[in-house]
Amino acid sequence: MEKQKIFAGIDIGGTSLKAGLFSESMELLKRFSTPVTREANPEMSVDPLISWLRSPEVTDSFNLVSVAAGIPGIFDHEKGMLTLAANLPQWVGFPIRDYLKEKLKVPVSIGNDGNMAALGEYHAGSGRELDSMLMLMLGTGVGGAIIDKGKILEFNSFSGEIGHIIIDMHGVDCPCGRKGCLETMAAKSGLIRMLHEALEKSESNRDAYKNLSEISPLELSNLATAGDPIAMEVYRKSGQAVGIGVSNVLNILRLDGVVIGGGIAGAWNGFFKSLEDTVAKTVFSFDPEKIKIRKASLGEDAGIYGAGVAAREAAN
Ligand SMILES: [Zn+2]
């Protein structure tokens, strides 16, 4: 019996390496996950994946055709390695593409993790029937990508740094060295900072915020949903900042839609109305029927789906 053709989509992050095996129609057939740590050599995470892909669990039923991986940082496509990676310093200079190619003997394609997540949502998630879209990932930082007709719009490896578009040139310092970037208002640390500011202005000492440094975006969202005025204010401001960022992009590119994912978007109810209102006010001749704004639907799996799509493309 002929074995089923499969494509492996890999998502390499700061804490784990995840992989999914996909059919030609992008059905997720099997999953794999192994830890990644800041200190560990890349081989310590990549070798268990290679062993799994060569194990009977995979090879008895499947024929691995190609592999693609998303990786966070600036990836040099000529050298096939990361040249800059804040969260994966040990991976800088590691020839990930050739290493996988040599061990697995199949075509390998590597791309930016944010781009892979965007491809995942475009082909298998909330962007499915959109022709062009902006994807924003709100989490520890703000990542993003623009897709047109199935392809990432990318001029060079610095393209798509949407987290650092300026929302307020007199705003607070961003870790990138500039002021008022979208990240300072839409990433996790930005939300916590805005929460501090709101608490300073508030009269009462708030029990709900006792362990301020521990509070997660989801907890903050739950407080906002429950009507807590301070949490609501933080989400309103964050939604507004994201709305301005989205408008800036839409006013230039007039895409069909915007898909928003990441941990902060898990706290959707808190800020979506503010985002929508801001977009409606600031996009040139806005029509909600023509520009769809949606929450991402694949969650943590967007990266493996997108890499699965990239692997299928790499095979052709
Ligand atoms: Zn910045």
Side-chain angles (χ1 to χ4, degrees):
M1 199 181 85
E2 203 179 327
K3 291 180 194 172
Q4 185 179 4
K5 280 185 185 173
I6 51 156
F7 307 88
I10 305 164
D11 182 19
I12 301 168
T15 56
S16 69
L17 179 156
K18 290 179 289 180
L21 299 183
F22 295 89
S23 68
E24 271 184 300
S25 60
M26 283 301 117
E27 187 194 348
L28 178 57
L29 304 168
K30 274 187 187 291
R31 289 171 180 276
F32 174 84
S33 177
T34 189
V36 171
T37 64
R38 220 182 137 76
E39 296 74 31
N41 293 329
E43 289 92 335
M44 287 173 72
S45 307
V46 176
D47 288 348
L49 168 74
I50 291 167
S51 302
W52 178 67
L53 288 171
R54 287 165 158 179
S55 71
E57 184 192 345
V58 173
T59 56
D60 280 358
S61 331
F62 303 116
N63 170 25
L64 180 66
V65 177
S66 54
V67 168
I71 194 160
I74 306 293
F75 189 79
D76 184 324
H77 286 279
E78 261 169 46
K79 293 182 183 147
M81 57 180 68
L82 280 171
T83 53
L84 195 64
N87 296 317
L88 293 173
Q90 302 284 355
W91 293 62
V92 172
F94 174 69
I96 174 78
R97 188 185 56 208
D98 293 346
Y99 191 83
L100 288 170
K101 210 181 265 181
E102 193 191 306
K103 304 267 178 182
L104 296 168
K105 316 274 186 239
V106 294
V108 176
S109 144
I110 311 278
N112 174 272
D113 61 340
N115 289 352
M116 292 296 184
L119 277 178
E121 288 291 341
Y122 183 90
H123 288 277
S126 295
R128 253 174 314 194
E129 84 290 8
L130 301 175
D131 204 29
S132 61
M133 73 172 217
L134 164 69
M135 167 92 184
L136 270 183
M137 295 285 284
L138 314 176
T140 313
V142 173
I146 291 160
I147 300 189
D148 178 37
K149 298 178 184 64
K151 299 278 177 224
I152 299 281
L153 187 67
E154 194 172 38
F155 300 99
N156 58 58
S157 57
F158 289 89
S159 287
E161 282 296 333
I162 195 160
H164 300 282
I165 57 174
I166 308 296
I167 304 300
D168 177 4
M169 65 185 286
H170 304 295
V172 302
D173 292 340
C174 178
C176 77
R178 302 175 308 135
K179 280 184 194 296
C181 296
L182 181 57
E183 268 197 22
T184 68
M185 285 171 263
K188 187 182 169 186
S189 60
L191 284 172
I192 300 298
R193 193 204 71 252
M194 291 194 291
L195 180 58
H196 272 282
E197 288 168 1
L199 279 170
E200 270 166 30
K201 284 188 207 143
S202 112
E203 314 269 291
S204 51
N205 196 2
R206 312 295 304 274
D207 279 356
Y209 300 103
K210 261 192 316 228
N211 300 317
L212 202 55
S213 59
E214 299 296 318
I215 197 162
S216 71
L218 184 60
E219 286 164 333
L220 192 58
S221 167
N222 289 341
L223 285 163
T225 309
D228 180 276
I230 292 181
M232 284 166 74
E233 177 63 6
V234 168
Y235 270 105
R236 190 189 62 77
K237 279 191 179 165
S238 184
Q240 200 175 39
V242 175
I244 292 169
V246 162
S247 278
N248 287 341
V249 174
L250 291 177
N251 283 336
I252 302 170
L253 297 173
R254 204 71 188 181
L255 306 162
D256 294 336
V258 179
V259 174
I260 300 184
I264 308 287
W268 190 246
N269 296 331
F271 86 140
F272 184 58
K273 188 170 184 316
S274 157
L275 191 170
E276 228 178 8
D277 288 350
T278 305
V279 168
K281 268 187 236 157
T282 54
V283 169
F284 184 84
S285 186
F286 180 68
D287 179 350
E289 292 301 312
K290 295 203 173 128
I291 299 175
K292 316 268 189 231
I293 299 174
R294 295 175 183 160
K295 183 178 174 177
S297 60
L298 298 176
E300 298 271 302
D301 284 343
I304 58 170
Y305 271 93
V309 169
R312 190 177 59 185
E313 274 172 25
N316 299 321

